[in-house]
Amino acid sequence: MTREGNSITSNHINTGKYTTWMNETGKKNNETILFLHGSGPGVTSIANWSYALADCADTFHCLAPDLYGFAKSDHPAEPLKNRQAWMDCWIEQVMEILDYYGLEKVQLVGNSLGCSIALELLLEYPERFDRIVLMGPGGTPNTKLSLELARAKSFYDSPSKKRLQQIMGWFVYDKELMQPVIDGLTDDRFENAMREEVSRSNNSIFSTAAVPIPTVALSRIKNPILLVHGRDDKVCSIESSYYLMEYLDDAQLHVFSQCGHWTQIEKKGQFNHLIQEFFNGHL
């Protein structure tokens, strides 16, 4: 598929244990950004990161995989026992991807669930990552379980395109302004959400809660980190970024007003400029 400016190539790669659907741009560039998507009914990496993949490809090699248990990547035949079992698989999948491409060290961007995976990667393999962007992180002890998030998690109780549009409307600050984007995502996301393996994996992932990283472990992360949050995020409240700022050793926080959980879409121009400035060492 293509977007203005740079072509996005998408295909399956087999890294050993995992077959991953990978979206890629900027192959000619030496420095790599790995983008990790969030969760939600029918979510795909390309829906999360299409604008960033196109915009960053002028100077960066960009990789955006569908995580194990999501979209077009592999799904377990039997549900995994808990969230930590899923996390172990996601970490293993990411490390296989880096080795497949021969990447010793990369820049890393996580969105929502992808932030939790990014932090776990920094605990296990800090030497494989340079600078880190965490956009709309949750999963901290003070993250509020909002009504919006609770209803999003119950999508499969009565799935429909109308309900999916309602959920996506809660992810943004100005639903009227973002309605064309929501309309453009609805058919593909609903079709993806209704695949048997996708719904099975989704139910398994959210059958148990994540266990937050201990503060003593957070304080040992030394990588430079940029936290990015929408002030009006109703899915993962901004308090989670304040919490991480308190314990991470080398972190800064950028807050966008009039912005919900989809910073990379609602503020795509500013977001893409911001992360590239950070990765280039200008922030």
Side-chain angles (χ1 to χ4, degrees), residues 17-158:
K17 188 173 180 179
Y18 299 94
T19 298
T20 297
W21 183 254
M22 181 65 70
N23 305 289
E24 184 176 10
T25 59
K27 296 179 183 180
K28 66 183 184 298
N29 299 312
N30 294 325
E31 195 168 351
T32 300
I33 305 174
L34 178 67
F35 294 88
L36 302 180
H37 64 76
S39 61
V43 69
T44 65
S45 184
I46 197 65
N48 263 207
W49 300 120
S50 61
Y51 298 112
L53 287 171
D55 202 12
C56 296
D58 287 336
T59 52
F60 292 95
H61 174 217
C62 302
L63 297 172
D66 286 346
L67 293 167
Y68 181 60
F70 287 91
K72 296 180 181 179
S73 286
D74 276 350
H75 294 259
E78 298 292 335
L80 302 185
K81 62 181 180 179
N82 54 39
R83 183 69 70 85
Q84 188 56 51
W86 279 102
M87 185 62 72
D88 292 343
C89 289
W90 292 325
I91 292 172
E92 189 176 42
Q93 179 193 20
V94 168
M95 298 315 297
E96 281 193 8
I97 288 169
L98 297 191
D99 291 343
Y100 175 86
Y101 285 96
L103 300 169
E104 290 299 318
K105 181 176 285 191
V106 300
Q107 316 283 15
L108 185 60
V109 181
N111 164 222
S112 198
L113 171 65
C115 296
S116 298
I117 299 170
L119 289 171
E120 295 281 354
L121 286 164
L122 296 183
L123 294 177
E124 296 289 335
Y125 302 99
E127 73 283 358
R128 300 296 297 272
F129 303 94
D130 189 4
R131 290 174 167 249
I132 318 299
V133 174
L134 304 178
M135 189 200 80
T140 62
N142 68 334
T143 303
K144 299 174 183 177
L145 179 57
S146 65
L147 297 176
E148 290 83 359
L149 182 56
R151 288 179 69 90
K153 288 182 176 181
S154 67
F155 167 78
Y156 284 102
D157 292 346
S158 181

Side-chain angles (χ1 to χ4, degrees), residues 4 15 27 41 77 85 88 129 148 151-152 174 199 204-205 207 228-229 233 246 253 255 267 270 275:
E4 283 189 12
T15 59
K27 296 179 183 180
D88 292 343
F129 303 94
E148 290 83 359
R151 288 179 69 90
D174 188 335
S199 61
S204 173
I205 290 167
S207 63
V228 180
H229 223 114
D233 190 339
E246 185 176 352
L253 171 62
V255 180
K267 303 291 185 181
Q270 298 101 309
I275 66 172

